[in-house]
Amino acid sequence: MGWQEEVSDGKLAGTTGRNKAIEALKIRLTGQLEEQYDVYYRVCIDKKGWLGWTKNGDMAGSIGFAYGLKAVQIKLYNKGSVDVPTQDKKAALTEKNMGDVIYQAHVSDIGWKKQVVDGELAGTTGKNKAVEAFKIMLSDEMTNGSIVYRAHVAGIGWQKEVADGELAGTTGQAKAVEALAINLKGEISNEYDIYYRAHISDYGWLGWAKNGEVAGSEGYALKLEAFQIKLVKKGSTDKPLQSERSYLSKNCISKVEYQAHVSSIGWQDIKKTGDIAGTTGCGKNIEAIAMAVKQTNANDYAGGIEYRVYIEKTGWSNWVANGNIAGTTGQGKHIEAIQIRLSGDMGKYCDVYYRSHVANIGWLGWAKNGETAGSGGFSYGMEAIQIILVSKNTAAPGNVKDHYREKKYDEMELKANIYSSLTPYLILVNRSVHKVYVFQGRMGNWKKIREWYCGDGAASTPTVEGTFKVQNRGYYFDSGAARCYWWTQFYGNYLFHSVLYNKNGTLMDGRVGMALSHGCVRLEINNAKWIYDTIPSGSTVVVYH
């Protein structure tokens, strides 16, 4: 509808019942009031919030943007009063003046978005779309200087600085802008500060930067998805609060220092990010370790490092941090595994990778952010460690598989470890699953080396159960028409032997994996011969159901 006719003294301005928003207003005094007073007013509008104060008939609000007026404030002051509202912001927006700063974003899969002004959002959020290029300019009213800016582009880095509406970034190359920096030049830089902030993938809105500082990220492979810009008069209290970090950079990653206490050596020199602490090829174990994060520059990420270790015959230590010792000294106990994690901004913006060199194994893969590195169940000492800090969610320094090797015990191994043997061998016969298991080692540390199906005693002639020892052995025996090869005795007439053959050497009954014998334990012929050849007399045999 545009501007209505002027009304006064309590008459209605605007409309009712027609769902039409007021977009702008003007207020003035007349007669003796005009000679004695000034009337100040400001409005709050859609998308922009409160605009600046104006007075005495000037326009407050907007024309041409469809921004509805949400609230208004009006104050009356004696002429010449010094205690009046500060007029440091634009009170009216029109298509002609638009705003103090005007900017536009080119977005992936969309193209150029419409121009926006004075703190409005350029780009998109929640759509996983990158800003690929942008343009920034000052309004026609800002004639006493220039606005200059540059873009950090994926795969390119920082481009050269451009100014006053020129394109920064790229179009048609599918390359995301990752960071930007904006500044003012000329006389305007003495009157105004330029504030801006970036919305990046994975993190959302970062803090406000100003006057040439970086907003966004470098070295994180994160897209800049949206940005906002505000021009603020110097000294104004109506400015963004700079309380959060405005940019992320791999150059802001603090360093980590760590020191290992090694058996028969003691404390080694302090190592730094990427160095190897401990020894390799010397047969010496790490017994204790201490580490700390060191901030060397004002822009380094704040935060700490926390860690705990698995100690021989003791278990996991408590978590310690920032230079405290994890492990033991003077007790001859080695570390077998370690977990490391970051805290504070370090944990928010960085990943910690670490790998261990383990006795009898060597270097394992890289663990990350609290994962376990090392070994368990072998009693193998950790001999060396390497630690690296990288930007969050960037590539690992190497292979991340097999960073923790653990000795796994199945049900049979757990059962085997309660038995002793006069030899380095132990045999278990499980009648319920018709299997023979052969172990090598010693009590409490048996390692399964063979597993075979067998034919044990039928229901009417079951295999004797109990704990026995290997005794005599022979090449073959005959049982009626059948011949059995490579027999090994473990109790009376109970033997390990081959499946049944005819006396001419052909196979008579090769079945295993079921209860079918007269009480002996039948095996495929190669397995029966392996027991005959390998298992010494005196070895323990356990038969159970």
Side-chain angles (χ1 to χ4, degrees):
M1 294 178 66
W3 284 106
Q4 294 182 323
E5 292 184 3
E6 188 176 77
V7 295
S8 63
D9 300 333
K11 294 180 182 178
L12 184 143
T15 62
T16 61
R18 301 177 66 178
N19 196 30
K20 292 184 179 293
I22 292 175
E23 296 180 342
L25 55 79
K26 300 177 181 179
I27 305 172
R28 67 186 182 91
L29 303 171
T30 61
Q32 291 183 349
L33 287 175
E34 183 182 10
E35 296 174 3
Q36 187 176 353
Y37 296 98
D38 290 316
V39 60
Y40 284 80
Y41 44 98
R42 67 172 183 163
V43 297
C44 181
I45 63 174
D46 286 336
K47 298 187 179 181
K48 299 295 294 179
W50 286 105
L51 301 182
W53 289 92
T54 190
K55 66 178 182 177
N56 298 340
D58 288 336
M59 183 183 117
S62 66
I63 296 177
F65 296 96
Y67 294 163
L69 188 149
K70 299 165 68 176
V72 61
Q73 282 182 291
I74 307 171
K75 295 185 178 182
L76 206 60
Y77 290 91
N78 287 313
K79 282 191 179 294
S81 173
V82 295
D83 186 23
V84 296
T86 302
Q87 292 179 275
D88 60 351
K89 290 178 61 178
K90 192 181 296 294
L93 303 180
T94 65
E95 290 180 336
K96 181 178 180 181
N97 69 22
M98 289 190 71
D100 291 331
V101 59
I102 306 160
Y103 46 103
Q104 187 177 17
H106 186 282
V107 178
S108 60
D109 302 324
I110 295 177
W112 286 106
K113 301 273 287 181
K114 70 174 185 178
Q115 288 182 332
V116 294
V117 299
D118 295 339
E120 292 180 337
L121 183 148
T124 62
T125 60
K127 297 182 178 180
N128 194 32
K129 295 185 181 298
V131 171
E132 297 178 340
F134 58 91
K135 301 175 183 178
I136 310 172
M137 66 189 76
L138 298 173
S139 70
D140 293 341
E141 297 175 3
M142 300 292 175
T143 58
N144 55 346
S146 295
I147 190 163
V148 296
Y149 45 97
R150 59 187 180 135
H152 186 281
V153 179
I156 296 176
W158 283 108
Q159 295 179 318
K160 69 177 183 178
E161 192 174 75
V162 296
D164 299 328
E166 294 179 316
L167 184 146
T170 63
T171 59
Q173 299 185 40
K175 294 182 180 294
V177 172
E178 297 179 340
L180 52 80
I182 309 171
N183 213 343
L184 300 171
K185 281 189 176 180
E187 293 182 12
I188 192 172
S189 65
N190 298 322
E191 300 178 42
Y192 289 90
D193 292 314
I194 187 80
Y195 287 83
Y196 43 96
R197 66 172 181 164
H199 186 285
I200 64 174
S201 55
D202 291 355
Y203 288 97
W205 285 109
L206 299 180
W208 289 92
K210 78 170 185 177
N211 298 343
E213 296 171 348
V214 177
S217 67
E218 301 175 60
Y220 279 74
L222 300 175
K223 302 184 290 288
L224 188 149
E225 298 176 336
F227 61 96
Q228 293 174 289
I229 308 174
K230 291 185 177 183
L231 197 63
V232 180
K233 255 192 180 306
K234 287 187 180 292
S236 172
T237 57
D238 187 18
K239 61 184 179 182
L241 181 64
Q242 289 185 284
S243 59
E244 299 178 12
R245 181 176 288 273
S246 67
Y247 75 104
L248 311 181
S249 171
K250 61 183 180 181
N251 296 323
C252 295
I253 299 175
S254 300
K255 309 302 181 185
V256 61
E257 295 182 353
Y258 43 105
Q259 188 176 19
H261 186 281
V262 179
S263 59
S264 76
I265 294 178
W267 287 107
Q268 292 183 317
D269 293 337
I270 292 174
K271 308 297 181 181
K272 296 184 178 179
T273 305
D275 292 340
I276 293 173
T279 62
T280 60
C282 300
K284 298 181 184 298
N285 298 318
I286 294 177
E287 298 177 339
I289 193 165
M291 58 189 76
V293 166
K294 300 293 184 181
Q295 281 87 26
T296 56
N297 299 302
N299 287 328
D300 285 353
Y301 298 132
I305 192 165
E306 301 171 348
Y307 42 99
R308 66 172 183 164
V309 297
Y310 191 93
I311 305 168
E312 174 191 9
K313 298 179 181 178
T314 302
W316 284 105
S317 68
N318 293 326
W319 286 95
V320 296
N322 304 330
N324 289 304
I325 295 173
T328 62
T329 60
Q331 298 184 36
K333 294 183 177 181
H334 59 246
I335 291 173
E336 297 181 10
I338 190 168
Q339 296 172 338
I340 306 173
R341 65 192 184 193
L342 301 171
S343 60
D345 279 355
M346 288 291 291
K348 185 176 181 181
Y349 302 126
C350 310
D351 290 324
V352 57
Y353 282 93
Y354 43 99
R355 63 173 182 159
S356 61
H357 187 281
V358 176
N360 303 315
I361 297 176
W363 284 110
L364 295 176
W366 290 93
K368 170 187 176 184
N369 297 344
E371 294 175 341
T372 304
S375 66
F378 298 99
S379 296
Y380 293 166
M382 188 170 72
E383 298 179 334
I385 187 169
Q386 188 177 16
I387 305 174
I388 292 177
L389 302 181
V390 301
S391 308
K392 196 78 171 177
N393 297 325
T394 55
N399 176 37
V400 296
K401 296 181 180 179
D402 193 29
H403 54 78
Y404 177 65
R405 193 170 295 182
E406 184 177 15
K407 184 174 183 181
K408 300 287 188 181
Y409 292 99
D410 61 20
E411 181 182 350
M412 297 306 299
E413 287 178 321
L414 292 173
K415 185 175 183 65
N417 278 321
I418 67 175
Y419 293 97
S420 62
S421 179
L422 296 177
T423 76
Y425 293 92
L426 168 72
I427 299 177
L428 300 187
V429 180
N430 186 345
R431 292 187 56 218
S432 63
V433 294
H434 316 294
K435 278 191 172 184
V436 171
Y437 303 88
V438 183
F439 299 85
Q440 189 172 15
R442 63 184 184 276
M443 183 177 181
N445 193 28
W446 291 112
K447 180 180 180 182
K448 184 171 65 178
I449 59 171
R450 295 288 189 276
E451 178 180 339
W452 307 308
Y453 280 107
C454 68
D456 54 308
S460 58
T461 54
T463 303
V464 63
E465 295 184 4
T467 303
F468 313 102
K469 296 189 184 307
V470 170
Q471 301 174 38
N472 300 318
R473 64 196 72 209
Y475 174 45
Y476 74 89
F477 67 89
D478 292 332
S479 178
R483 177 165 290 180
C484 303
Y485 293 93
W486 307 115
W487 60 267
T488 302
Q489 179 191 32
F490 61 88
Y491 177 73
N493 292 326
Y494 293 91
L495 317 171
F496 295 108
H497 61 70
S498 72
V499 293
L500 305 184
Y501 285 81
N502 295 306
K503 291 179 181 179
N504 64 3
T506 60
L507 184 64
M508 174 187 291
D509 185 351
R511 292 176 296 167
V512 291
M514 61 184 69
L516 49 73
S517 77
H518 297 119
C520 289
V521 179
R522 299 181 189 175
L523 297 166
E524 294 178 0
I525 191 167
N526 290 337
N527 299 334
K529 186 176 186 302
W530 188 92
I531 289 180
Y532 174 92
D533 289 337
T534 308
I535 303 301
S537 297
S539 299
T540 298
V541 176
V542 180
V543 182
Y544 66 99
H545 193 277

